[in-house]
């Protein structure tokens, strides 16, 4: 690309009125001046109100208020759909609570913009990464989840469940076409990874610093955690089916 690509950042939100305006302003101030779409599932209007001064400034900041908690996965899909409708060349997703460092957006976007990858993951589990302020129970759960996902799904990455990711336009389109929008919680992150891997897109990981939230309200529930484990096995079945269909297709062509 001879000029800077058109970048959009998707931010799923649940009761993040305290954080959202500052985060959006910070994101907009990064090198690529990305557009921002916040997909808010809060039961009240506080996040929408907090964003009003920003959404009034122009078309580069938008808030989708869904009025019910549809889950992080479907929120990202709605955000991707909106970003592509606005002509995005590259789409990045991140959390609304400053767990993911906005100052690293340029690095992730840059790898896609220079055609080094179709998907870039800010990975918590590679050399050089740090996790701050996490209780030991959460560390154990996250590590165990990633170990199990890698065992079951076999995609060669270290972090299946961090939502700090960047996609090329074609990878984002693949996600919208193939990923099941009905899945709840963080299981969609693993399904996205599998779908991108099966499509032979290039996946790259970079080290990052993940900071446990200090404001706002966590959207992770026990139901979402148990659903994630069940979804993992469902995705594994989809993966086996896709590989089988690919082998059959290759056999027919031969």
């Amino acid at each position: 690309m001879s000029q800077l690509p058109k970048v959009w950042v998707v931010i799923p939100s649940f009761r993040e009125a305290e954080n959202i305006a500052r985060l959006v302003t910070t994101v907009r101030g990064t090198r690529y001046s990305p557009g921002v779409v916040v997909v808010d599932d809060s039961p009240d209007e506080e996040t929408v109100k907090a964003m009003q001064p920003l959404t009034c400034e122009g078309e580069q900041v938008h808030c989708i208020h869904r009025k019910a908690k549809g889950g992080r996965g479907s929120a990202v899909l709605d955000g991707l759909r909106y970003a592509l409708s606005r002509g995005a060349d590259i789409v990045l997703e991140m959390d609304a609570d400053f767990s993911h460092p906005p100052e690293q957006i340029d690095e992730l976007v840059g790898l896609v913009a220079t055609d080094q990858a179709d998907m870039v993951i800010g990975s918590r589990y590679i050399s050089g990464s740090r996790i701050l302020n996490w209780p030991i129970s959460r560390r154990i759960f996250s590590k165990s989840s990633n170990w199990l996902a890698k065992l079951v799904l076999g995609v060669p990455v270290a972090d299946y469940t961090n939502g700090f990711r960047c996609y090329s336009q074609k990878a984002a389109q693949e996600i919208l076409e193939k990923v099941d929008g009905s899945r709840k919680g963080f299981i969609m992150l693993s399904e996205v990874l599998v779908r991108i891997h099966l499509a032979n897109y290039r996946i790259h990981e970079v080290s990052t610093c993940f900071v446990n939230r200090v404001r706002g309200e966590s959207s992770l529930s026990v139901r979402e955690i148990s659903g994630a484990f069940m979804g993992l096995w469902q995705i594994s079945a989809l993966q086996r089916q896709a590989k089988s269909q690919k082998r059959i297709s290759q056999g027919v062509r031969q």
Side-chain angles (χ1 to χ4, degrees):
M1 300 179 183
S2 57
Q3 58 184 9
L4 289 180
K6 181 180 284 189
V7 179
W8 275 81
V9 173
V10 175
I11 305 176
S13 170
F14 182 74
R15 289 181 171 165
E16 294 288 355
E18 187 177 355
N19 304 313
I20 199 66
R22 185 163 65 94
L23 177 61
V24 171
T25 300
T26 304
V27 169
R28 290 281 294 141
T30 56
R31 179 192 175 199
Y32 293 90
S33 300
V36 178
V37 53
V38 173
V39 185
D40 181 48
D41 281 358
S42 304
D44 55 40
E45 300 279 343
E46 295 307 307
T47 300
V48 176
K49 291 176 182 177
M51 285 191 61
Q52 281 178 350
L54 299 171
T55 55
C56 290
E57 290 181 359
E59 298 181 352
Q60 290 300 104
V61 178
H62 184 68
C63 184
I64 300 172
H65 185 217
R66 307 198 301 177
K67 299 183 181 179
K69 191 178 180 186
R72 188 188 194 284
S74 64
V76 170
L77 293 182
D78 282 351
L80 289 175
R81 194 171 293 111
Y82 182 84
L84 292 182
S85 76
R86 304 299 298 171
D89 300 306
I90 296 171
V91 187
L92 181 141
E93 63 169 297
M94 66 187 303
D95 289 352
D97 59 2
F98 284 91
S99 293
H100 303 140
E103 63 270 19
Q104 200 175 5
I105 289 174
D106 292 349
E107 179 185 1
L108 272 66
V109 171
L111 288 167
V112 177
T114 55
D115 200 30
Q116 298 180 61
D118 295 294
M119 174 181 178
V120 181
I121 304 169
S123 175
R124 298 163 295 182
Y125 300 120
I126 63 174
S127 177
S129 293
R130 293 184 299 156
I131 298 175
L132 304 179
N133 302 330
W134 245 9
I136 188 65
S137 59
R138 189 65 186 257
R139 287 176 182 267
I140 291 172
F141 173 76
S142 179
K143 274 280 192 181
S144 300
S145 300
N146 275 280
W147 176 83
L148 181 61
K150 191 167 188 176
L151 179 68
V152 173
L153 302 177
V155 181
V157 301
D159 197 340
Y160 280 69
T161 58
N162 197 15
F164 190 32
R165 299 174 167 188
C166 189
Y167 310 103
S168 65
Q169 184 186 79
K170 58 185 179 182
Q173 191 62 52
E174 181 78 15
I175 292 166
L176 289 177
E177 292 175 1
K178 298 292 179 62
V179 172
D180 183 355
S182 68
R183 298 192 192 280
K184 299 289 184 181
F186 289 84
I187 188 58
M188 196 207 74
L189 291 164
S190 293
E191 183 177 359
V192 165
L193 187 58
V194 166
R195 293 297 189 182
I196 295 300
H197 179 64
L198 287 173
N200 295 318
Y201 287 119
R202 298 160 298 167
I203 302 171
H204 186 73
E205 289 183 283
V206 297
S207 60
T208 192
C209 179
F210 177 89
V211 182
N212 189 41
R213 59 185 305 117
V214 293
R215 290 181 297 274
E217 177 179 326
S218 176
S219 61
L220 184 63
S221 67
V222 173
R223 179 176 294 181
E224 287 179 358
I225 291 170
S226 61
F229 282 109
M230 183 176 295
L232 191 62
W233 298 106
Q234 295 172 343
I235 294 170
S236 179
L238 290 173
Q239 186 182 36
R240 291 192 298 272
Q241 181 182 13
K243 288 180 178 179
S244 176
Q245 291 174 342
K246 186 176 181 179
R247 285 195 295 269
I248 292 172
S249 176
Q250 289 173 341
V252 170
R253 287 199 298 270
Q254 291 175 356

